[in-house]
């Protein structure tokens, strides 16, 4: 049985990864501080990744998935603590591409500061650089917006709530801003292919082949719930993040590298149905924001 270490292992991305590879027959360890409930079938290594000490001494792994590295020191501490030379996969982000670059973004483009994502994107740039310096054979993945079961951010669950309540949806402007998504299961499947085939190409944009507009995405969420959708357009004088779960920033990734390894992806409608089913069963598993409060105070008709 192959052995895998996953950093985190209790949140959305890292927890789903842990469950997925357990189901695929891997023996999985999760490195975290044991502050949350652990996933079934996963062995805990309790440690703070910033102060690993001897936590990994005497342990060997076939693969390491670094799902919660947000800056260079976190990558450096982990790679220095690992024994042997396991395959290493860093979950980075599409936030490493400056917003000024031409789109769609390709893996060959120079990474750097993105003013929309700020410190988060710069941290991921430094994390990638550390991985490439210490482990030139690292695989680096750059997903757009991840979604699917266990997604705990108030994105599609917010739209589901609006639909279930029979409310109109307050749409930013004309609703034509593009959004590109990546089902978490497809990210896991790509990692499995990388570990199995070990291609020479090391950096991959991930995600659906094409983006959808905000309007299309909201309509699909309402259809998933089984509710009719009525829009109210909101002007730019209102801060978009006050009433809508995405920044006013549309972009597209070129995912042809991913497609060469993983040509069949989860259709967005199918993925949204899975998200809705999970949310119905785990309504407390989402970190909600008070978009409805801003709408009631500033946008809704008296």
């Amino acid at each position: 049985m192959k052995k895998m270490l996953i950093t985190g292992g209790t949140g959305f991305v890292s927890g789903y990864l842990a469950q997925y590879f357990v189901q695929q027959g891997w023996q999985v360890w999760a490195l975290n501080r044991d502050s949350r409930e652990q996933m079934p079938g996963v062995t805990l290594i309790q440690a703070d990744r910033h102060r690993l000490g001897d936590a990994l001494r005497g342990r060997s792994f076939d693969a390491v998935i670094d799902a919660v590295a947000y800056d260079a020191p976190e990558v450096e501490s982990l790679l220095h603590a690992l024994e042997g030379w396991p395959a290493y996969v860093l979950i980075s982000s599409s936030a490493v591409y400056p917003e000024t670059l031409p789109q769609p973004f390709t893996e060959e483009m120079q990474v750097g500061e993105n003013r929309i994502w700020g410190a988060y994107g710069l941290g991921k740039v430094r994390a990638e650089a550390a991985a490439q310096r210490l482990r030139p054979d690292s695989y680096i993945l750059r997903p757009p917006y991840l979604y699917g079961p266990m997604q705990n951010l108030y994105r599609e669950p917010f739209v589901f709530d609006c639909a279930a309540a029979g409310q109109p949806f307050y749409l930013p402007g004309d609703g034509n801003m593009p959004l590109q998504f990546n089902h978490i299961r497809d990210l896991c499947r790509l990692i499995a292919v990388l570990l199995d085939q070990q291609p020479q190409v090391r950096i991959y944009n991930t995600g659906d082949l094409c983006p959808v507009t905000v309007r299309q995405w909201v309509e699909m969420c309402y259809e998933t719930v089984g509710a009719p959708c009525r829009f109210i357009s909101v002007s730019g004088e209102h801060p978009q993040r006050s009433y809508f779960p995405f920044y006013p920033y549309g972009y597209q990734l070129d995912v042809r590298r991913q497609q060469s390894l993983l040509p069949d992806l989860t259709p967005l409608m199918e993925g949204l149905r899975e998200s809705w089913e999970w949310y119905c069963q785990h309504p407390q598993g989402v970190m909600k924001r008070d978009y409805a409060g801003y709408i009631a105070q500033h946008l809704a008709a008296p």
Side-chain angles (χ1 to χ4, degrees):
M1 183 179 292
K2 291 186 177 181
K3 299 178 180 180
M4 174 179 290
L5 175 68
I6 295 177
T7 59
T10 59
F12 165 43
V13 175
S14 60
Y16 194 102
L17 282 162
Q19 286 192 338
Y20 179 87
F21 281 100
V22 166
Q23 293 168 0
Q24 295 300 308
W26 286 72
Q27 192 171 0
V28 177
W29 282 258
L31 175 66
N32 61 65
R33 292 173 294 180
D34 199 21
S35 59
R36 299 181 183 179
E37 183 179 356
Q38 303 298 317
M39 293 297 167
V42 175
T43 303
L44 170 67
I45 300 176
Q46 184 176 358
D48 185 332
R49 68 174 299 162
H50 298 95
R51 294 179 293 275
L52 282 171
D54 295 333
L56 300 181
R57 178 165 296 183
R59 300 179 183 271
S60 62
F61 304 98
D62 298 290
V64 175
I65 304 179
D66 201 348
V68 291
Y70 298 105
D71 213 325
E74 297 168 341
V75 173
E76 293 163 351
S77 63
L78 178 64
L79 291 180
H80 286 312
L82 288 172
E83 297 187 359
W85 199 264
Y88 177 74
V89 180
L90 173 66
I91 309 298
S92 183
S93 169
S94 56
V96 300
Y97 294 113
E99 80 284 356
T100 53
L101 292 175
Q103 299 186 29
F105 299 143
T106 66
E107 293 91 344
E108 296 88 353
M109 289 180 172
Q110 183 66 44
V111 299
E113 181 179 9
N114 181 303
R115 288 181 297 174
I116 305 298
W117 292 108
Y120 170 77
L122 281 173
K124 288 292 191 179
V125 169
R126 293 189 291 263
E128 286 190 9
Q132 291 170 316
R133 182 179 73 254
L134 297 174
R135 285 291 305 269
D137 62 342
S138 300
Y139 288 112
I140 295 173
L141 306 184
R142 296 172 177 166
Y145 296 114
L146 287 160
Y147 80 107
M150 296 177 57
Q151 203 282 94
N152 63 343
L153 298 179
Y154 204 37
R155 291 174 177 166
E156 56 271 15
F158 167 62
V159 188
F160 294 152
D161 281 346
C162 293
Q167 298 171 348
F169 194 85
Y170 288 82
L171 193 69
D174 59 10
N176 287 330
M177 187 183 81
L179 296 171
Q180 192 167 10
F181 293 96
N182 189 182
H183 195 290
I184 183 63
R185 183 173 57 249
D186 290 340
L187 185 71
C188 295
R189 293 171 58 225
L190 177 62
I191 293 172
V193 172
L194 293 174
L195 296 177
D196 179 56
Q197 299 185 11
Q198 300 183 25
Q200 292 301 307
V201 175
R202 298 293 165 178
I203 301 176
Y204 293 85
N205 292 337
T206 71
D208 292 345
L209 300 182
C210 298
V212 293
T213 67
V214 168
R215 178 183 289 270
Q216 290 170 329
W217 175 71
V218 171
E219 288 173 339
M220 295 172 79
C221 289
Y222 270 69
E223 182 180 345
T224 297
V225 176
C229 185
R230 180 170 64 89
F231 291 111
I232 297 175
S233 180
V234 180
S235 67
E237 66 184 80
H238 295 277
Q240 183 167 305
R241 285 280 286 165
S242 297
Y243 66 92
F244 184 71
F246 293 98
Y247 288 106
Y249 169 56
Y251 66 93
Q252 182 177 358
L253 300 175
D254 183 321
V255 295
R256 284 177 292 180
R257 284 187 182 179
Q258 171 203 257
Q259 189 180 16
S260 69
L261 298 176
L262 194 70
D264 57 319
L265 300 173
T266 303
L268 181 54
M269 195 68 195
E270 177 183 327
L272 288 173
R273 291 192 186 100
E274 294 176 5
S275 298
W276 168 238
E277 291 172 2
W278 181 86
Y279 181 47
C280 288
Q281 298 170 13
H282 305 86
Q284 304 305 315
V286 173
M287 299 181 292
K288 295 189 176 183
R289 297 183 57 171
D290 193 20
Y291 301 124
Y294 185 91
I295 290 171
Q297 184 175 356
H298 298 282
L299 300 178

